Amino acid sequence: MSRDLEHQLNPEQWEAVRHGEGPQLVLAGAGTGKTRVITHRVAWLIAERGVEPWRIAGVTFTNKAATEMRERVEKLLGGSTEVFLGTFHRFALRLLRRYGERVGLPRGFAILDTSDQLAVMKRALEAAQLDDSVFAPRAVLSRVSSAKNRLLGPAELERESSGFFEQGVVRAYSSYQRLLRESGGADFDDLIALAVRLLEQEEELGERMRRRLRYLLVDEFQDTNHAQLRLIETLAGRGGNLTAVGDEDQGIYRWRGAELDNILEFERHFPGAVVRKLERNYRSTQTILDASGHLVSHNVSRRGKKLWTETTGGDPVRVYRARDEADEARWIVRTLRGAHDALSYRQMAVLMRTNSQTRVLEEELMRHQVPYHLVAGTRFYERAEVKDVVAYLRVVRTPQDNLSLRRILNTPPRGIGKATQNTLFQEADELGHSLWDVLRLERFGGLSPRAANALRGFRDLVLELRSCSAELDLGELVERILERTGYEALYRKDDDEARARLENLRELVSAAQEFAEDYGEGHPAFLSASAPPSSPEARSAQGSLLAPSAAQTAAGAAVAVPARALPGSEDPESGDAPASRGPLAALDDSGEVEEDDPLTSFLDYVSLVSDTDALAADRGVSLMTLHAAKGLEFALVCVAGLEDGLIPHFNSVSEDEVEEERRLLYVGMTRARQRLMLSSCQRRRVAGRYQDQHPSPFLDELPAELLEVEDGTVPAIAPAASGVYTYFGRAPHTSSAPRGEPPDWLRRDGPPRTPRPAAAPEGLAADLPLERGQGVRHPTLGSGVILDVEGSGENAKLTVFFERGGKRRLIAKYAGLRPR
Ligand code: ATP
Ligand code: MG
């Protein structure tokens, strides 16, 4: 094994893999095998050093990256492993599911997503009597988030806040935390912050954890924020066995509080750390490396490095200037189809700055039946109807989950109006109990018999679902919810919207079913971190959706939250922890291990799938945001929408922010193994109106001799001009000229450039009859004839045949046509 591993690595990588005790940082550029060092080190520790898998944890940022990591490790080991390989949030959640009560979290606590957070923040502002037109909920939330990422509670934040707005934020923060506590929920940032608090506050637990978890490996270290760094510090200890790998040129989460200093000052945080470099890139061609390296060299805050590859040369980077997004989509899809001879669609990706750029591209892909999947942007679990049903599941699991209960109380409508709800909320407030307790105890005083009946009906429904949850599998439970709540009936209507909603709900049934099947096999889907249930008791409990303790009380209404005993003492050094559980479960070998039940696991999965995760299996071309592409690689990559305002994004104003955008593009470009394409539009429709777009200034930072530029805004009049010219002031490389020497006609002092055609004037010419057979003239496409007219007036859709451009579909008011 050792020889095998060594053979798959270069000497520098091998050194890092068999690094002994103490911290090390592998600081190296994209594609140099940093993730490979992590996976090989995990395999080496297990296979060569005999380290028990539960003593090792590999942590990264996205579920997709974690899944890939697991696949790579399991391939090396030749079978599945119980090493923890997951995200930071997953790690923290596993810890809190077991010990959360020690930091004030109720059992079965819910995790809020962004829209839940917004709803709670709005209530928090109201409670703190702050005007939400001054204190915009989103803005306040982002302040709260950054405070949490720095591990500052409201009191600590207050100490550094002055002025009206900042003081208001502090008040909102503390009222938000109070509401969260009352509803028994935690937001995403809390997961990390509370895990840190738990380990620091419970010294004995922290100590045991450090002894148990002997090897900690962290990928993409450049994107850690302060809270994550502290979590790593508490887990590894200052001189601990931490292997961190990262690249300061790929730090793209500063807006979420990531601190590049964590990597730039690694030796200060972990004294005695060995810092290693890797310089050979195994991923990309020299051209791609040179182009991306040249771009990122414009950044000031970096350590700087050199990369080389044996894959010399390579195709030039193709750059396309499109007329608009439809033209861009056509070019991209045409190019992808052209490349399909040599590459499968799975090896191709289109990366974008924002989610909203995908729609037009998706349509074009569908038109040509090119398979694709969206890695970001589906946000399946954020759709209202899906969230509703997930809220039912949460209430079935934990009826005290106020937040979810509020959501479904009158959804679908069942006669529990606003006034009734308010009475219920007040009653809960006065009693200091959960809403569920008020329902259970029937504290309906002051309500009309009708309202009280409606509430009883709802309570009985929840009880019924809870009791049948013990017999049904996950998919069946979701189906039962749809049926018993009336969702099925509600959306079984003949309109598109209702149909789409019903389809989403059916998709949820499939997702739950799939999850349950994988869970039964001990491989919870997407949950690389979740150790399979292994004890005979746990296996026999699998039939039930709830953990035994919860299932027993499922039929009864009283679900008191039992105070959990502290785990008994154990000898941390004995190494006799159950061999078949992850490092966190192993902590519990005092006999009170509580295996996650499938329902809790599923709900955790739903909470943790971030926008970087695909719901669909990897099929065809991957469409995703640049952020989501971190750590991945594809044979062919197209970065679309390279326009000023998109990248750098118009929100990025300061030099630091622009540097972060540059790194983001660098991340995108370095995903490519063989071919790289960059496209931008001359105009783009924003909120329904066309807007002129300038090329991204980053294009100007690429070495012109490595590019092959094509301009779709120039009509292809004669093959000689072929629409290729430089639009950002420097001469591109073309395949017909030797590298570095652009053809004469493209030299700056050569013949004048093809003038850029004027943008098509907007509006429909008053003197243009919209009729079949009418001759027209287009500012760039020249003369043509109308073949078909759909609708009338300026919104009419026209099919026009142009002598130069062939058949085109245009909207009359945007087409800029004149009669001929
Ligand atoms: P990124 O910065 O983008 O996360 P990385 O440094 O983590 O990149 P990897 O993803 O580990 O790089 O490796 C990049 C590619 O190079 C992968 O396809 C990997 O399998 C390959 N690779 C890395 N090291 C070697 C090696 N020694 N021999 C052969 N292939 C290698
Ligand atoms: Mg990597």
Side-chain angles (χ1 to χ4, degrees), residues 429-450:
D429 253 2
E430 276 164 29
L431 282 175
H433 279 275
S434 66
L435 297 173
W436 177 248
D437 284 338
V438 179
L439 288 174
R440 193 168 58 82
L441 301 171
E442 300 206 6
R443 302 287 291 237
F444 300 153
L447 284 176
S448 70
R450 241 178 85 179

Side-chain angles (χ1 to χ4, degrees), residues 619-764:
R619 249 182 295 119
V621 180
S622 299
L623 262 51
M624 66 182 106
T625 61
L626 287 160
H627 281 99
K630 194 166 79 149
L632 308 179
E633 61 184 27
F634 301 90
L636 179 155
V637 167
C638 173
V639 185
L642 277 175
E643 293 143 40
D644 200 8
L646 269 175
I647 184 158
H649 197 260
F650 65 86
N651 283 339
S652 309
V653 186
S654 70
E655 197 43 50
D656 276 358
E657 287 166 338
V658 171
E659 286 208 352
E660 173 135 325
E661 294 284 304
R662 194 179 279 114
R663 287 194 293 268
L664 190 55
L665 178 57
Y666 174 75
V667 167
M669 291 172 69
T670 52
R671 299 308 95 201
R673 287 208 302 265
Q674 297 160 17
R675 299 190 208 176
L676 177 61
M677 298 145 58
L678 308 170
S679 62
S680 67
C681 298
Q682 187 184 35
R683 60 178 198 163
R684 180 178 289 279
R685 208 191 303 250
V686 179
R689 294 196 69 86
Y690 274 117
Q691 198 171 286
D692 285 342
Q693 297 287 90
H694 294 287
S696 164
F698 296 150
L699 281 167
D700 258 336
E701 297 175 357
L702 301 175
E705 66 276 12
L706 300 178
L707 314 179
E708 182 181 298
V709 183
E710 197 179 330
D711 194 335
T713 64
V714 181
I717 301 161
S722 71
V724 180
Y725 86 154
T726 166
Y727 58 84
F728 41 94
R730 280 188 284 159
H733 165 76
T734 65
S735 41
S736 59
R739 183 66 53 94
E741 239 184 87
D744 281 352
W745 63 273
L746 274 175
R747 292 237 173 93
R748 223 183 276 220
D749 50 359
R753 293 195 217 155
T754 317
R756 185 179 300 187
E762 292 217 344
L764 172 63

Side-chain angles (χ1 to χ4, degrees), residues 125 130-131 133-141 143 157 161-172:
L125 290 168
L130 293 164
D131 181 352
S133 61
V134 181
F135 295 90
R138 263 176 216 284
V140 179
L141 267 179
R143 301 270 183 138
L157 186 64
S161 304
S162 57
F164 169 75
F165 187 76
E166 290 187 4
Q167 300 277 344
V169 168
V170 172
R171 273 167 53 210

Side-chain angles (χ1 to χ4, degrees), residues 8-10 13 29-36 72 220 250 282-283 631 633 671:
Q8 296 171 19
L9 302 164
N10 64 33
Q13 292 172 329
T32 51
K34 295 183 297 299
T35 305
R36 193 177 180 98
R72 291 197 204 178
E220 310 277 1
Q250 295 186 64
Y282 288 89
R283 179 180 293 146
E633 61 184 27
R671 299 308 95 201

Side-chain angles (χ1 to χ4, degrees), residues 310-331:
E310 281 201 340
T311 330
T312 48
D315 294 343
V317 178
R318 290 186 65 183
V319 179
Y320 183 67
R321 178 77 171 154
R323 283 189 299 279
D324 51 27
E325 63 267 41
D327 183 33
E328 182 184 40
R330 276 195 299 274
W331 180 76

